[in-house]
Amino acid sequence: MSATIVCRNPADAREVVATYEPADAQEVAAVCARAHAAQSYWGGLPGPRRGELLHRAAELLRRRDRQLARRIVAEEGKLLADADAEVSRAAAVLRFHAGEAERLGGELADGAQAQTLAFTRRRALGLVGLITPWNFPIAIPAWKLAPALAAGNAVVIKPSSAAPGAVLELVDVLHEAGVPQEALQVVLGGAEVGLALAADPHLRALSFTGSTAVGEQLARRVGARGVRFQGELGGNNPLVVLADADPAYAVGLASEGAFAAAGQKCTATRRLIVERPLYEAVLEAFAKRARELVLGAGGVDGVEVPPLIDAAAVEAVLDAVAQAQSLGAELRSGGVRPDGELRHGSFLAPTVLAGVGPGMRVIDEEVFGPVCAVQSASDLEEAIALANAVPYGLSAAICTNDLRRAFQFVRCSDAGMVHVNRSTPGGDPHMPFGGLKASSASGWREQGTEAVRFFTEQQTVYLHHGAPAAGESPL
């Protein structure tokens, strides 16, 4: 068996928050076998009944909201207000898919033959596996679990070892609401447990959120066996600011997008591209705003930027910043760890880099922390070219008062989600979530009505409703 999982407080690594015992390959196989056996019962329930249980789970989740939010703050480190909002988001996702369970259906048409009715229906795939990250430890699990269960699938979920507590509570809520324990199970552990889940012979589909490298590896492994794969992977998201925009508003969007949650969102603003007439003013104001942001533990009033998940994450970000500086980038704010009491946590001052270009990891890769690289563009066309000049295509945003140019950006953007006069993070439970290019290993979308499609297969039925006349051919 692997070593005990130890979760430390990201704001103070001296504090052990929780310990968990991981599964081994044999346990993963046994869990998957039990879930597979339970699928026929769960999938055989009428959709409205499954929806009723998901709706009940949403209500139960709201009753635990503050308890859950504090657990998220302790394990993952985010601000208490953000953790509260995340629990509310998880409940909203459950409610939405409670309704989707009632609406599972298809198309109805007359058949080409006389007295024949043709229709389609969606049915569950069977056993599905979910592998979820630590940065949204309850929202992302909810938006995978809810459509999978609504469609009638049995589920085995493996949360990140960095912050698994919220998933354990979410699954407990779903069991309390009436979802059978055998049909919904959790396995804890690291990469070896995820690989064991992906390799299970009962598995029909695997949904993964995490790094591009791991997602592409999993896609190859399960694809070779004909298992359906959904991968929401990295992002290097641009915010374009045009010369007609309000500079103060644009700086607010950039600060929110780049530094909220310490930049630990796949949709965070990694690059700020400013049309030249506003470049110096926006850069100066943005760097000043970054220097003013208050760092601290997520549960402390007045804190604006929480810690990163752990010390290794801080080192990875600092390494990327140093690499950019070695290639000529100018550090305009941050790039250092704070001292004093904060030195015991995984804190990093919000970092703004100017003079950046290709070859720097902050431009070419996803640097998962509070770092934003600022570039100038001569016009909208150059801004679009810079925005698209990365392997990723998750989210993009533009700040402008010119609707014509806003729609030109929307048309030309290589991002799966585009925001106008909003920051790059954000999305609604009833709208599809997903990226293009290297940000998605499959093209399947999460959230909204699209989410259920990944977890179902379509069947076409022809129903002849009249006896043939004497001598009539059935063909």
Side-chain angles (χ1 to χ4, degrees):
M1 178 179 287
S2 301
T4 298
I5 297 167
V6 178
C7 292
R8 296 183 178 274
N9 181 355
D12 188 341
R14 297 170 298 180
E15 178 189 349
V16 174
V17 175
T19 59
Y20 304 95
E21 292 304 317
D24 58 24
Q26 291 73 30
E27 290 172 282
V28 173
V31 163
C32 288
R34 290 196 298 270
H36 172 69
Q39 197 279 322
S40 59
Y41 167 76
W42 176 245
L45 289 179
R49 174 58 179 158
R50 294 194 300 269
E52 179 185 334
L53 300 183
L54 290 177
H55 186 79
R56 183 185 301 166
E59 296 305 309
L60 292 172
L61 192 63
R62 291 308 302 266
R63 294 178 196 173
R64 297 193 195 184
D65 54 1
R66 184 46 62 101
Q67 166 193 331
L68 258 168
R70 292 197 178 279
R71 188 166 185 174
I72 290 170
V73 171
E75 282 194 0
E76 194 268 350
K78 67 178 54 183
L79 302 184
L80 181 58
D82 289 345
D84 274 330
E86 186 177 340
V87 177
S88 295
R89 173 63 174 267
V93 168
L94 290 174
R95 284 195 300 271
F96 177 83
H97 285 290
E100 289 300 284
E102 297 177 352
R103 291 188 289 270
L104 283 175
E107 300 176 17
L108 179 67
D110 283 337
Q113 259 188 298
Q115 297 180 302
T116 299
L117 189 66
F119 63 93
T120 62
R121 59 187 294 268
R122 289 201 166 270
R123 66 181 187 183
L125 293 174
L127 174 65
V128 300
L130 313 177
I131 299 178
T132 60
W134 51 261
N135 61 327
F136 285 92
I138 194 167
I140 291 178
W143 80 46
K144 293 180 187 292
L145 277 169
L149 292 170
N153 298 281
V155 178
V156 175
I157 181 170
K158 190 203 87 66
S160 167
S161 295
V167 165
L168 293 172
E169 291 225 28
L170 175 59
V171 169
D172 184 61
V173 163
L174 286 158
H175 288 160
E176 184 181 344
V179 177
Q181 292 196 6
E182 296 293 288
L184 169 58
Q185 300 190 60
V186 184
V187 289
L188 301 182
E192 68 282 359
V193 173
L195 291 174
L197 176 59
D200 191 85
H202 297 108
L203 200 70
R204 293 291 314 281
L206 180 67
S207 179
F208 168 84
T209 297
S211 74
T212 298
V214 174
E216 290 176 346
Q217 178 191 18
L218 287 171
R220 288 192 297 269
R221 283 175 176 257
V222 302
R225 299 192 293 115
V227 173
R228 187 178 291 185
F229 182 76
Q230 178 182 60
E232 289 302 336
L233 311 178
N236 190 341
N237 313 293
L239 167 61
V240 169
V241 178
L242 298 186
D244 64 273
D246 177 348
Y249 183 73
V251 167
L253 291 182
S255 179
E256 175 191 354
F259 305 132
Q264 297 178 122
K265 300 179 180 182
C266 57
T267 53
T269 302
R270 308 284 178 211
R271 295 173 294 140
L272 178 61
I273 302 167
V274 186
E275 201 171 11
R276 202 150 291 146
L278 281 187
Y279 175 76
E280 289 297 339
V282 167
L283 173 59
E284 182 178 351
F286 182 44
K288 180 176 183 292
R289 175 61 180 145
R291 292 190 293 270
E292 293 170 344
L293 292 170
V294 179
L295 278 70
V300 176
D301 289 343
V303 167
E304 296 169 286
V305 180
L308 278 72
I309 187 65
D310 56 28
V314 177
E315 288 298 327
V317 174
L318 286 174
D319 187 59
V321 171
Q323 188 259 0
Q325 289 182 276
S326 74
L327 295 177
E330 177 190 357
L331 186 67
R332 297 295 291 261
S333 73
V336 295
R337 300 182 187 87
D339 52 17
E341 276 301 303
L342 296 186
R343 74 184 186 279
H344 298 297
S346 49
F347 292 95
L348 179 62
T351 301
V352 175
L353 290 166
V356 294
M360 299 180 187
R361 296 210 297 274
V362 294
I363 290 293
D364 298 334
E365 303 175 13
E366 179 183 50
V367 177
F368 213 65
V371 176
C372 189
V374 187
Q375 298 172 282
S376 67
S378 58
D379 53 25
L380 175 60
E381 287 70 25
E382 185 182 8
I384 291 170
L386 289 170
N388 289 339
V390 296
Y392 301 99
L394 182 56
S395 182
I398 186 167
C399 185
T400 178
N401 288 309
D402 187 328
L403 190 60
R404 180 188 61 81
R405 296 213 292 170
F407 271 96
Q408 183 179 345
F409 180 77
V410 170
R411 287 193 304 272
C412 298
S413 174
D414 286 344
M417 298 175 289
V418 183
H419 300 263
V420 177
N421 293 326
R422 287 167 40 113
S423 58
T424 54
D428 297 330
H430 62 283
M431 294 299 291
F433 180 99
L436 306 175
K437 302 194 297 188
S439 291
S440 175
S442 62
W444 293 100
R445 289 293 183 259
E446 298 193 282
Q447 303 202 79
T449 57
E450 288 291 311
V452 158
R453 293 183 181 275
F454 174 74
F455 295 106
T456 57
E457 56 191 1
Q458 193 175 58
Q459 186 179 53
T460 301
V461 180
Y462 294 95
L463 174 64
H464 185 69
H465 51 83
E472 180 183 355
S473 169
L475 298 178

